[in-house]
Amino acid sequence: MDGAAGESPLLTPLQPSSARSDCHDGHDAGKQLECILNDDSVPWARRMCAATMVETRMLVRLAAPAVLVYMINYLMSMSTQIFSGHLGTLELAAASLGNTGIQTFAYGLMLGMGSAVETLCGQAYGANKLDMLGVYMQRSTVLLMATGVPLAVFYVFSRPVLILLGESPEIARAAATFVYGLIPQIFAYAANFPIQKFLQAQSIMAPSAYISTATLAIHLVLSYLVVYKFGLGLLGASLMLSVSWWIIVIAQLVYILTGSRCRLTWTGFSLEAFSGLPEFLKLSLASAVMLCLETWYFQVLVLIAGLLKDPELALASLSVCMTISGWVFMIAVGFNAAASVRVSNELGAGNPKSAAFSVVVVTTLSFILSVIIAVVILLCRDYISYIYTGGEDVAAEVSKLTPLLAITLVLNGIQPVLSGVAVGCGWQAFVAYVNVGCYYVVGIPLGCLLGFYFDLGAAGLWSGMIGGTVMQTVILLWVTLRTDWNKEVVQATKRLNSWEGKTPLLAGQE
């Protein structure tokens, strides 16, 4: 890990005041922030207020569109599931299985691998090595497209896999039909995530939000026509989801090729995209493991809940709570993206104090928002389940689980942001090890112990999950607080020079 446990506290002075330049020169907000933080002629309180205003404006411009994009992606999958559900119970089960089981696995893997380019593009943009952003995007696309081939084979053989996992032949057959239509979506993921991170690194977030919003409207209309009017059923529903993802990809690509904002970072297709792929794969896999371990953690929790004494009630109550948590988590993911961009940009630009200050501001904002949402959920604890189901027994069980849900929401206001900081710094491999220990060595065994041995049921399983998340959050917070940001700037420079020279260094190996 790149100097993550150095001697310097988070906000110690990192540059002498003699190195200051005029804070009002130029239009670079990051440079302006660094100047403000280093201007010893201004009282500390005034400096902090001015710096907070500058940083908050940048974070809101980044986080708000990112939240919108992730929520719309969530809505597209959910709407496809709803359209399928109105065809019948079997179709609902098949779409749910295809979406939450197989498709989520591919989404997590591709998004995780795409976060490798997030680190490199963010730091390259901050370092003004603009031409390398297009190369990194192309290199990631090549790698993800290659990864999509074995995933497509897995999709083709999804029916026997599902039967092997214990699903009934009828549900497995219907789910496989749905999954076949998602095969083009795999390669849309492979193109979308590098493009998304390429734009994100440049703080270009609004176009993706506009494109996703328009695509959602198109998706709803075409899905209705294809599923109900043309009678294409499950296959039609999933194919329309794939088509909608390709619309997003093509629209973003057109924006990059024709828009003036990317003229310096996109210089055309390059053969460099095919160089250094083995090393790039290692960094991408570390990123994928980091994210997938978190995603699978919640899926494992739901699977284990099916083994409890009253599995139907446990699964129903957990499903309601997890759906609420999933919606709120989209906000945290937006802050995760903002944290990653801000930290990587400032490290690449050689602004250690701005990077450290950004961590403080984004974590504080996300934490405050998550606390507010958690309080609202607690106040509505006796009624919130009726949004999803009318069962009084489920409502009572959800009410009991709501305090645990509130704790999870608060943790989700901190942990994803710290993960974004880790991506911005290039600590993916370190965080992957932390996730293995916290989630799978501590969280799941503790949850099983509380849920089965102490007979606490769903609350016990969830308490174990919270235990693992708390442990992970504490470790990331401790590492972040002890980070020497001067060293992180040096390591970012080494990493960029190494990748540009086609002899990449992995995070933690510098």
Side-chain angles (χ1 to χ4, degrees), residues 5 126 132 283 360 375 494:
M132 290 305 296
L283 182 59
V360 174
V375 170
K494 286 182 180 178

Side-chain angles (χ1 to χ4, degrees), residues 131-155:
D131 58 314
M132 290 305 296
L133 270 75
V135 174
Y136 293 145
M137 180 184 74
Q138 293 173 65
R139 193 175 291 169
S140 182
T141 303
V142 169
L143 192 57
L144 265 65
M145 285 288 182
T147 305
V149 174
L151 280 176
V153 174
F154 172 69
Y155 274 38

Side-chain angles (χ1 to χ4, degrees), residues 187-189 191-192 195 244-254:
F187 299 98
Y189 285 161
N192 176 74
I195 290 173
S244 297
W245 270 93
W246 272 109
I247 290 173
I248 291 174
V249 169
I250 293 169
Q252 290 181 130
L253 190 57
V254 168

